[in-house]
Amino acid sequence: MTAHVPEQTVRTTCPYCGVGCGVLATPDGQGGATVAGDPEHPANLGRLCSKGSALGETLSLENRLLHPQVDGVRQSWESALGTVAGGLRKVAEQHGPDAIAFYLSGQLLTEDYYVANKLAKGFIGTPHVDTNSRLCMSSAVAAHRRAFGSDTVPGCYEDLDEADLIVLTGSNTAWCHPILFRRMVDARAKRGTKLVVIDPRRTQTGEEADLFLGLKPGSDTALFSGLLVHLADTNMLAARFAADPTAGFEAALARARLIVPDRAAVARLTGLTDAEIGAFYDLFARTERVVTAFSMGVNQSAQGTDKGNAIINCHLATGRIGRPGMGPFSLTGQPNAMGGREVGGLANMLAAHMHFAPEEVDRVRRFWNAPNIITGEGMKAVALFEAIQRGKIKALWVMGTNPIVSMPRADLIKAAIAKLDLYVVSEVVADSDTARATGRRTVLLPALAWGEKDGTVTNSERRISRQRRFLKAPGEARPDWVALADVGRRLGHGHAFGFTSTAAVFRQHASLSAFENNGTRDFDLGGLADLSDAAYEANAPVQWPLPKRGGIRPRLFADGRFYTFDGRARFVAVQAPALAQAVSAERPLVLNTGRVRDHWHTMTRTGKSQRLSAHRAVPFVEVHPDDAARFGLTDGAIAAVSTEHGSAELEVMVSAGVAPGSLFMPMHWSDATASKARVGALARGVPDPVSGQPELKATPATLAPVAYRARGYLLSREPVASPPDWWWARAAVAGGWGLLFATQDGSREIAMLMRGLFQGCELAEYADHARGRYRCAVYDGSRLVACLAYAPGEARPDWEAAKALFALDVPETPERRALLSGRAATAMGPVVCACHGVGLDVINAAIAAGAHSVEAVGAACKAGTNCGSCIPEIRKLLPDALARSAA
Ligand SMILES: Nc1nc2c(c(=O)[nH]1)N[C@H]1C(S)=C(S)[C@@H](COP(=O)(O)OP(=O)(O)OC[C@H]3O[C@@H](n4cnc5c(=O)[nH]c(N)nc54)[C@H](O)[C@@H]3O)O[C@H]1N2
Ligand SMILES: Nc1nc2c(c(=O)[nH]1)N[C@H]1C(S)=C(S)[C@@H](COP(=O)(O)OP(=O)(O)OC[C@H]3O[C@@H](n4cnc5c(=O)[nH]c(N)nc54)[C@H](O)[C@@H]3O)O[C@H]1N2
Ligand code: SF4
Ligand SMILES: [Mo]
């Protein structure tokens, strides 16, 4: 199948999630591009989700960091890199190299990551190199290593197409890995695959499940221990694994029996009913082809590694691993989470899946010819930032991550950064919270963004794809690896950092993976070690292992051979769930955090897209109706959520999807996009004892209403800064920016403010100061440049109609009238389908008019016909969904 592709179109890979979809990008010659799914990429076969489809809207340069800066002043690269190299040398001389730390990211390309790791661990000689992957999948890595002796994902995406049962645990796949979720739903249509979803929160993924298990937060090890016991008691064990005395099965089973002596104990610990538990265990026991896919609800836990091993135990015990349609499957979050693991970017790895056995250290030392090779693990993210606070780390280089938003206890981290002698941030944007923080000396280095940079990424199924350049480098931005290699040369290591191309870096990385590797290490790219520049440029997506001698294996371990010293897998005796969430009378709720469908992390890119900002425009907290009543809150009100570590003010979304006693807040808003909504400020982040991954899903919290006099919105062509004491959130809208606000100011003050902001323009106003209402539309000639609505708190003005009108540059009389009356000609409701901008009211109208299937809704109003990410939400609105949930 070769689709027609225009000549200037470039094959590349989506920079968002770990699904790693292939993208066809066609530049428009003016700095923009249109994007489409690549029909030839095996991950997506032409599909893209809402985020991938909107990539073209994120390419503008408006908030980009385009020039190096030192202490806020623009400098040449020469001078900025001189400051970095000089600063690093000074810190190393005065305090030793281990006073230097790097904090990297699963969004770097493999080549950037490789050079950073080599520079730090081989040449500067500091072990303190960690990455945001510590917050993401380090527990899965640790679970893999305990069970398999290596960090190996055993299966591939085709297993999802070929499974008869897919268990999704701790994963909102429909929103976070949408294209994989569509493959799962396709498998259900094709072969009747059953979906079980395990999550304390009923997500869109849970809505689609055949069986939804709303377990108590953190109780996963009890559920899977109970499953192991059930499999043993019903003779479902695969003799090969379970009979092997060295593999630890007996001990793991004995522990499981201790944790859950009987089914009643499972019910007590998980909060599930006996019938729910029985249905799940029966389904698992009698279905041979089972994939258990897991992500952050498993990993981001104070017990994440044990949760992973409790799952893997059940797959090993049944021999369901490495064969078509079965296996445990860690869904990786970031586009290059896997690449980071391959280069050794985590503090407990050295390089190329090698750790710190003396022969491994020696091997890497010889390969790199490294004078300062480290010999042991460095500090993991949480400990690393604590060490900055204690003054132990004096220099920090952050690259491709926004820890002031995404790290737990982030207020402390912000304070710690101020103490650094040298703080270096490599960024694509100038206004991330982390780029705006300062140390005693602060260096900002502009990096190339997606579309400008070139290199490779590895997705969840070990498939390496190329990200290719299709836009020219803006300003003075450079690839991250170029900046790193330059610093390496300045520190006197010219021979090791003389790379002349991205391909040359990749070849060295591939060669290291194959160096003295006779099949003893899983990660082997020997087959790519001699790739010519042209072959690298043209390289099609490939899966590792890819040894020189050939033999591609999409799945591993079916032969029962693992990477432990004796070749056997290990069962792990896990700990009982730590259910004491330490909720107290003072903080009686458990705060869960995670993602929404259309935003990516701290929104530095998706925040630019008006389509992606329409689905969820304000930072919110989901509250169960019982808790809302208990804390005196209604839907849409503003609440303060506070934990021991910090607080946030969020809009309340009353939802039966969260369990009583639980809250859910998204992680996306930062100080750049909202007044007080940084998730990191709230999360407690207790690290898992094995992996060091912090708990981000369960922090004791409390809730209180915050009364503001009035609420409103301001739409403007250029972003307008909020007055300091307002509650606000900013979102991209068609034709400009929207500021949603809450304030104690009166309507007269607002009118004054508008006049001040838009001097020289004509203001069409509607004011009823007695009732505290004010609306205005601002015109520059016939051009609409801003519009505002303000009303008492309880009468929060709805902006959907105004947003649609604001998309017009020059409105006619009826629209001008509609802007002031606040009423649209036709109601649309909040956006459900981001691709076509279709609102809830429109979809409901289509359904009322007889569209009774997802397809019929699509035919009537286009909703759900592009990327399909909103299909679960549409399905929920259909009459049979109502019938199903009533049943
Ligand atoms: N739209 C979107 N997609 C993304 C991203 C994004 O920012 N936006 N980020 C990407 C990245 S880096 C990652 S890591 C992935 C994350 O993808 P997911 O892991 O799917 O996302 P989360 O929303 O963080 O958390 C998943 C679920 O875990 C549940 N959970 C909480 N506690 C528990 C528990 O104790 N047990 C169980 N079983 N479940 C629990 C939460 O309720 C939540 O629904 O998404 C990737 N894809
Ligand atoms: N409470 C809570 N906290 C969480 C999570 C959660 O579920 N709950 N999830 C955690 C997880 S799984 C993750 S992965 C993290 C993500 O958290 P972060 O990594 O902090 O989030 P991003 O917004 O993706 O930050 C990436 C930054 O790199 C920049 N960037 C993009 N491309 C490049 C590039 O090529 N080079 C350079 N130098 N910079 C670039 C972007 O502009 C952006 O500022 O958050 C973690 N924190
Ligand atoms: S699923 Fe969506 S975000 Fe993930 S790689 Fe594919 S298009 Fe990008
Ligand atoms: Mo992640």
Side-chain angles (χ1 to χ4, degrees):
M1 172 182 53
T2 308
H4 173 71
V5 172
E7 204 183 323
Q8 68 277 29
T9 296
V10 172
R11 287 209 134 80
T12 182
T13 310
C14 177
Y16 298 126
C17 83
V19 178
C21 296
V23 169
L24 296 175
T26 310
D28 62 10
Q30 286 153 10
T34 53
V35 298
D38 181 353
E40 289 177 22
H41 197 290
N44 57 320
L45 303 169
R47 288 170 164 174
L48 291 178
C49 77
S50 49
K51 293 180 297 300
S53 307
L55 273 166
E57 288 181 37
T58 65
L59 303 174
S60 68
L61 299 181
E62 75 228 352
N63 61 342
R64 286 288 298 273
L65 178 67
L66 295 173
H67 305 282
Q69 287 178 15
V70 177
D71 293 335
V73 179
R74 180 171 165 182
Q75 301 261 317
S76 65
W77 270 101
E78 179 61 27
S79 149
L81 291 177
T83 305
V84 175
L88 292 175
R89 187 180 283 122
K90 196 163 145 207
V91 168
E93 279 165 10
Q94 288 180 350
H95 307 282
D98 58 359
I100 296 171
F102 286 74
Y103 187 57
L104 309 172
S105 163
Q107 291 168 75
L108 297 173
L109 301 175
T110 297
E111 292 77 2
D112 300 322
Y113 233 141
Y114 176 81
V115 176
N117 196 57
K118 178 179 181 182
L119 175 65
K121 292 180 181 170
F123 293 81
I124 292 177
T126 176
H128 305 311
V129 179
D130 212 28
T131 137
N132 63 358
S133 287
R134 179 69 55 200
L135 315 179
C136 185
M137 26 84 317
S138 58
S139 286
V141 172
H144 288 157
R145 289 191 62 214
R146 289 204 298 190
F148 312 143
S150 59
D151 173 23
T152 317
V153 172
C156 59
Y157 291 164
E158 278 174 11
D159 294 330
L160 303 170
D161 310 332
E162 295 178 22
D164 292 317
L165 170 61
I166 298 175
V167 180
L168 295 170
T169 180
S171 176
N172 187 5
T173 330
W175 279 10
C176 297
H177 296 89
I179 297 302
L180 285 188
F181 190 69
R182 292 198 64 190
R183 283 177 81 150
M184 297 174 196
V185 172
D186 286 352
R188 170 154 69 185
K190 242 186 338 237
R191 58 186 292 144
T193 306
K194 292 267 182 291
L195 290 183
V196 175
V197 174
I198 305 170
D199 193 313
R201 193 166 63 103
R202 191 186 273 269
T203 58
Q204 285 298 333
T205 314
E207 292 287 347
E208 292 275 295
D210 298 286
L211 177 64
F212 170 71
L213 302 176
L215 83 181
K216 282 191 200 162
S219 65
D220 304 63
T221 58
L223 184 65
F224 283 91
S225 294
L227 178 58
L228 190 67
V229 171
H230 177 81
L231 294 168
D233 291 351
T234 51
N235 296 321
M236 290 308 302
L237 303 179
R240 185 177 55 187
F241 293 106
D244 184 341
T246 65
F249 177 74
E250 287 306 329
L253 181 62
R255 176 67 60 75
R257 288 194 195 283
L258 211 61
I259 296 171
V260 283
D262 52 29
R263 189 68 75 71
V266 182
R268 188 166 35 77
L269 291 170
T270 60
L272 299 169
T273 65
D274 192 58
E276 289 171 323
I277 297 163
F280 171 46
Y281 289 0
D282 286 347
L283 205 53
F284 194 103
R286 69 180 144 80
T287 314
E288 177 73 353
R289 289 178 170 232
V290 186
V291 172
T292 307
F294 59 98
S295 51
M296 295 312 124
V298 166
N299 296 339
Q300 288 173 343
S301 155
Q303 260 195 323
T305 312
D306 273 0
K307 285 184 179 181
N309 283 112
I311 293 166
I312 294 170
N313 282 348
C314 295
H315 278 270
L316 286 174
T318 48
R320 293 173 189 159
I321 187 163
R323 292 187 287 139
M326 52 189 98
F329 205 142
S330 148
L331 299 178
T332 52
Q334 298 180 89
N336 202 26
M338 293 286 271
R341 286 144 76 160
E342 291 155 20
V343 304
L346 289 157
N348 50 327
M349 297 174 160
L350 180 54
H353 280 207
M354 286 178 273
H355 295 79
F356 296 97
E359 64 277 14
E360 291 177 314
V361 173
D362 188 55
R363 184 181 303 127
V364 178
R365 182 188 61 76
R366 284 183 287 116
F367 180 86
W368 278 344
N369 197 10
N372 300 318
I373 192 90
I374 57 160
T375 55
E377 294 186 5
M379 287 183 283
K380 298 166 182 163
V382 172
L384 190 152
F385 280 97
E386 280 169 5
I388 297 174
Q389 204 183 352
R390 288 199 315 272
K392 177 96 190 37
I393 299 283
K394 304 283 185 194
L396 173 71
W397 191 338
V398 178
M399 194 170 252
T401 174
N402 195 358
I404 290 183
V405 185
S406 57
M407 275 291 291
R409 306 191 189 193
D411 286 344
L412 289 182
I413 284 167
K414 196 170 170 180
I417 283 173
K419 296 189 180 173
L420 287 163
D421 290 342
L422 177 67
Y423 175 50
V424 185
V425 181
S426 292
E427 245 301 340
V428 301
V429 301
D431 61 354
S432 79
D433 289 10
T434 299
R436 290 186 303 166
T438 50
R440 294 203 173 107
R441 162 93 1 119
T442 303
V443 183
L444 297 185
L445 300 175
L448 292 183
W450 183 76
E452 301 152 7
K453 60 185 182 177
D454 225 355
T456 55
V457 290
T458 309
N459 73 4
S460 296
E461 60 162 356
R462 290 174 276 105
R463 191 179 298 279
I464 299 175
S465 298
R466 291 276 281 104
Q467 267 194 24
R468 293 189 177 86
R469 192 165 82 88
F470 56 89
L471 296 173
K472 68 177 199 319
E476 293 180 281
R478 288 184 183 173
D480 288 309
W481 73 262
V482 169
L484 288 155
D486 193 316
V487 170
R489 291 194 297 273
R490 283 167 198 262
L491 292 174
H493 309 298
H495 65 285
F497 296 96
F499 303 109
T500 51
S501 68
T502 318
V505 179
F506 184 82
R507 280 191 290 271
Q508 190 177 99
H509 163 63
S511 304
L512 173 57
S513 75
F515 185 58
E516 300 175 356
N517 183 352
N518 305 312
T520 48
R521 307 197 305 268
D522 63 338
F523 180 61
D524 187 340
L525 297 184
L528 301 175
D530 302 319
L531 218 57
S532 68
D533 286 7
Y536 175 79
E537 193 41 52
N539 205 25
V542 287
Q543 266 179 304
W544 65 260
L546 198 75
K548 201 161 227 142
R549 57 189 180 283
I552 291 183
R553 286 177 294 164
R555 300 178 182 87
L556 292 99
F557 307 146
D559 58 359
R561 302 290 305 165
F562 293 83
Y563 290 98
T564 51
F565 75 89
D566 58 5
R568 295 176 170 94
R570 292 289 184 278
F571 288 89
V572 176
V574 301
Q575 301 291 320
L579 282 183
Q581 303 291 353
V583 293
S584 58
E586 201 187 343
R587 296 190 190 86
L589 305 165
V590 178
L591 175 66
N592 180 5
T593 62
R595 295 159 169 77
V596 303
R597 193 188 73 191
D598 289 351
H599 275 307
W600 176 260
H601 295 166
T602 70
M603 271 202 251
T604 59
R605 289 170 287 167
T606 49
K608 291 181 169 186
S609 159
Q610 55 91 5
R611 277 197 287 160
L612 297 181
S613 302
H615 183 242
R616 295 283 185 270
V618 284
F620 62 91
V621 56
E622 281 180 37
V623 184
H624 188 271
D626 295 352
D627 293 320
R630 181 169 148 215
F631 289 89
L633 290 161
T634 51
D635 195 62
I638 294 175
V641 179
S642 24
T643 69
E644 195 186 335
H645 309 287
S647 66
E649 286 186 15
L650 309 165
E651 199 172 274
V652 172
M653 187 185 283
V654 175
S655 160
V658 290
S662 287
L663 303 174
F664 175 81
M665 119 179 226
M667 64 170 293
H668 305 293
W669 281 268
S670 67
D671 286 346
T673 46
S675 48
K676 214 179 171 193
R678 265 161 60 240
V679 74
L682 280 80
R684 176 168 59 167
V686 176
D688 173 274
V690 185
S691 68
Q693 175 156 358
E695 168 75 74
L696 298 171
K697 300 295 195 222
T699 303
T702 189
L703 204 56
V706 186
Y708 283 97
R709 177 167 175 183
R711 300 281 294 272
Y713 59 78
L714 169 59
L715 301 172
S716 55
R717 300 289 170 204
E718 300 298 327
V720 171
S722 159
D725 49 351
W726 287 15
W727 176 90
W728 60 270
R730 173 173 301 128
V733 302
W737 295 90
L739 189 75
L740 285 147
F741 63 82
T743 175
Q744 309 296 2
D745 291 347
S747 58
R748 287 178 210 280
E749 287 161 280
I750 300 293
M752 295 275 289
L753 180 81
M754 287 303 282
R755 284 175 208 143
L757 277 173
F758 297 98
Q759 283 172 25
C761 293
E762 181 201 334
L763 268 67
E765 295 177 284
Y766 158 84
D768 180 350
H769 294 304
R771 292 173 57 229
R773 285 168 196 266
Y774 176 76
R775 308 181 82 91
C776 98
V778 183
Y779 295 93
D780 187 0
S782 59
R783 186 163 181 256
L784 174 67
V785 292
C787 88
L788 172 138
Y790 167 102
E794 60 287 358
R796 183 170 56 117
D798 173 28
W799 74 344
E800 294 299 338
K803 272 202 315 184
L805 295 165
F806 191 70
L808 308 168
D809 222 24
V810 181
E812 302 294 333
T813 314
E815 284 114 19
R816 282 175 169 243
R817 246 187 241 129
L819 266 178
L820 274 196
S821 71
R823 273 185 290 277
T826 52
M828 193 181 86
V831 167
V832 174
C833 170
C835 294
H836 293 299
V838 188
L840 182 65
D841 295 356
V842 178
I843 296 172
N844 277 332
I847 294 170
H852 284 176
S853 67
V854 168
E855 293 71 27
V857 168
C861 65
K862 287 175 97 177
T865 55
N866 183 46
C867 80
S869 300
C870 60
I871 289 176
E873 281 153 282
I874 297 173
R875 211 191 305 282
K876 209 179 148 191
L877 300 170
L878 293 172
D880 62 333
L882 297 177
R884 203 177 49 187
S885 60

